[in-house]
Amino acid sequence: MERKQAEFQDKKRRKLCRFCENKIQYLDFKDERLLRRFMTERGKIVPRRISGNCATHQRKLTAAIKRGRHMAILPFASESFR
Amino acid sequence: MKLYETCFIVNPQSDDATIERHVKSVIDLITSRQGKIVYEDRLGTRRMTYPIEGLTQGNYTSLIFEGPPTLNAELDRHYRLEDAYIRNITILYEGDPEQVRIAREALQISMDRADQAAAEARREARESGGGFRGGRGGGGGRRFDNDDDGYHRGGGRSRRHD
Ligand SMILES: [Zn+2]
């Protein structure tokens, strides 16, 4: 039982940044489908400790999401339902 | 010269010719200042995630262009002088248009696959699980954790494909 839990945690820890994996350097603020994957249902940006993004890509991601919000492509936080 | 992207929303409550005129005037402004349009993307009329000036929809256009840095201020003024532009943004475009397209397609494909796998697993679970498990849609998707690796954070919800 204990062993299984340790394995599970280990699996979670070696998550790789998906943008590094796919060699994506530029994030388009118009790419609603992609950006929404890194937002919660309420429109908050998913922290990188959960998404597994590296610092560089998380920074680019937040910039893109904020631009998307400005252009009403993405919601601001606190959207109670869709 | 550097690459910039300017994206703007035109009030959709006017005829196509008027919208076209507003889009064209931006293109003309860029080209008249030694700018060169690299990529023109007419996203068309789409729903906005929140109302702007009482409107729920907007007509989106994005232009990637090469031009002098002074153009930024001129674009800004252009947008401000005309009420039809309800929102705009001009940014430095730091991607290679061609490379971005290819890399994004690759990510899109891998994410689509994850979505598909999750949906399939859910359907399978529903079909084989019978009545007593019917309600637990998410349960089936778990099995695919290995290859989709967390993509289904909101991933199963792919109905927004417009
Ligand atoms: Zn990264």
Side-chain angles (χ1 to χ4, degrees):
Chain A
M1 194 64 189
E2 249 177 318
R3 209 198 132 98
K4 205 159 188 185
Q5 203 161 35
E7 261 172 46
F8 180 65
Q9 279 180 351
D10 191 53
K11 213 163 100 189
K12 279 207 122 169
R13 221 179 295 129
R14 54 159 238 278
K15 233 189 237 173
L16 248 161
C17 172
R18 282 193 272 289
F19 298 111
C20 285
E21 242 177 85
N22 289 281
K23 296 199 169 59
I24 291 188
Q25 282 316 312
Y26 185 74
L27 294 173
D28 190 348
F29 68 88
K30 301 186 299 305
D31 199 344
E32 181 193 353
R33 234 182 127 207
L34 187 149
L35 298 175
R36 274 212 192 241
R37 283 167 200 267
F38 298 94
M39 294 173 86
T40 66
E41 300 222 354
R42 303 200 64 197
K44 287 185 171 189
I45 300 169
V46 174
R48 74 191 189 85
R49 71 171 183 289
I50 291 166
S51 64
N53 289 340
C54 71
T56 313
H57 281 115
Q58 184 72 4
R59 206 156 46 236
K60 289 179 177 182
L61 181 75
T62 42
I65 288 175
K66 284 170 185 181
R67 285 167 171 172
R69 283 172 174 165
H70 172 73
M71 292 306 285
I73 290 167
L74 295 169
F76 280 98
S78 93
E79 193 185 54
S80 46
F81 65 93
R82 294 205 272 210
Chain B
M1 276 193 273
K2 280 183 170 170
L3 275 181
Y4 297 92
E5 171 174 13
T6 189
C7 182
F8 55 92
I9 310 174
V10 177
N11 186 336
Q13 290 182 333
S14 47
D15 56 299
D16 290 350
T18 312
I19 295 171
E20 180 60 31
R21 191 164 50 78
H22 290 307
V23 174
K24 193 82 197 338
S25 72
V26 177
I27 296 173
D28 287 345
L29 174 67
I30 293 169
T31 48
S32 72
R33 301 292 190 277
Q34 279 81 51
K36 199 182 120 219
I37 309 279
V38 178
Y39 188 69
E40 184 181 323
D41 197 358
R42 310 269 184 134
L43 300 159
T45 301
R46 48 176 288 169
R47 230 190 113 75
M48 299 191 287
T49 50
Y50 54 89
I52 301 175
E53 292 173 24
L55 298 166
T56 54
Q57 293 196 326
N59 190 284
Y60 286 73
T61 306
S62 157
L63 303 167
I64 297 174
F65 64 94
E66 213 176 36
T70 49
L71 203 48
N72 198 334
E74 288 199 66
L75 279 168
D76 202 46
R77 194 167 56 238
H78 180 81
Y79 292 133
R80 244 180 304 129
L81 287 174
E82 181 62 67
D83 288 339
Y85 302 111
I86 55 177
R87 211 30 89 83
N88 70 82
I89 192 171
T90 304
I91 56 163
L92 193 64
Y93 188 83
E94 289 168 299
D96 170 354
E98 188 55 21
Q99 246 176 12
V100 166
R101 196 179 56 76
I102 295 164
R104 196 166 58 205
E105 270 166 19
L107 182 64
Q108 204 84 71
I109 289 165
S110 74
M111 289 198 294
D112 285 347
R113 238 182 256 141
D115 272 355
Q116 227 174 354
E120 245 164 59
R122 229 172 288 129
R123 196 175 49 233
E124 241 171 66
R126 216 176 300 129
E127 279 168 5
S128 65
F132 68 97
R133 271 164 130 203
R136 297 176 54 204
R142 282 267 163 110
R143 263 189 290 151
F144 284 79
D145 256 7
N146 283 333
D147 30 46
D148 70 15
D149 203 31
Y151 269 138
H152 55 265
R153 249 207 106 72
R157 241 160 236 102
S158 51
R159 57 176 244 268
R160 279 176 179 259
H161 198 147
D162 32 283

